Amino acid sequence: MTEQESTAAAARVAYEGARALAERDAAHRAHTERLLLACADALDACDRLLAAGPQDPAAYQHSVRLIAGQLEAAATGAGLEPLGAVGERADPATHHVVAVRPAPAGAVDDEVLEVARRGYRYRGHVLRAARVVVAAGSAAEERTQAAQEGTAQG
């Protein structure tokens, strides 16, 4: 390969790289604009709701739920994943335990009993861990109860 061909090949590679970067930037811009427009729609709905005032508490609450659903749909559609649900096992990678309560019947240790604040993950990265209340003591209580039953039978 001559020096001129080598320079031309390097220029093609640089051009292709720049073109791919420009396409990714354009896609990212379009993605961000779609998300921002969805948020703007939700903000407009909030403005209309606040202007009308809470005349009927049930209707007002329903409207707030609709707006929250609109925002959640926009965020999840953009790739945001909520973290933290009642009944799942707490995971240190995605949950921050804010309180521990005695385990109710049927619950297991580290089971989420309450979600104080949802967490979120985006593209595999935890943006915010879920703040949760977890159960504790069920295993110890079950062992104690089994031991007491064993002593009572023996």
Side-chain angles (χ1 to χ4, degrees):
M1 182 182 290
T2 67
E3 185 177 326
Q4 191 175 21
E5 291 172 333
S6 181
T7 303
R12 275 193 303 276
V13 168
Y15 171 77
E16 290 299 323
R19 195 176 101 211
L21 182 61
E23 287 174 2
R24 281 195 305 274
D25 285 349
H28 178 71
R29 244 186 333 277
H31 177 76
T32 301
E33 289 171 0
R34 279 191 305 274
L35 179 58
L36 290 174
L37 284 173
C39 290
D41 288 343
L43 288 171
D44 290 345
C46 286
D47 288 343
R48 286 190 300 274
L49 184 61
L50 289 170
Q55 296 170 1
D56 176 11
Y60 196 79
Q61 199 171 38
H62 176 72
S63 295
V64 170
R65 279 195 191 99
L66 288 174
I67 294 168
Q70 187 178 11
L71 282 170
E72 187 165 356
T76 56
L80 191 68
E81 299 172 55
L83 299 172
V86 172
E88 67 187 13
R89 296 292 295 266
D91 176 0
T94 56
H95 296 80
H96 175 76
V97 177
V98 295
V100 177
R101 291 194 190 136
V108 297
D109 284 346
D110 295 331
E111 181 177 330
V112 174
L113 299 176
E114 177 184 330
V115 177
R117 185 178 78 176
R118 279 194 296 186
Y120 295 95
R121 176 176 27 230
Y122 180 68
R123 295 186 176 175
H125 175 71
V126 176
L127 299 176
R128 181 174 83 188
R131 293 177 155 280
V132 296
V133 176
V134 298
S138 64
E141 290 175 18
E142 289 172 7
R143 285 192 298 272
T144 302
Q145 185 178 7
Q148 288 174 346
E149 289 174 1
T151 305
Q153 291 176 0

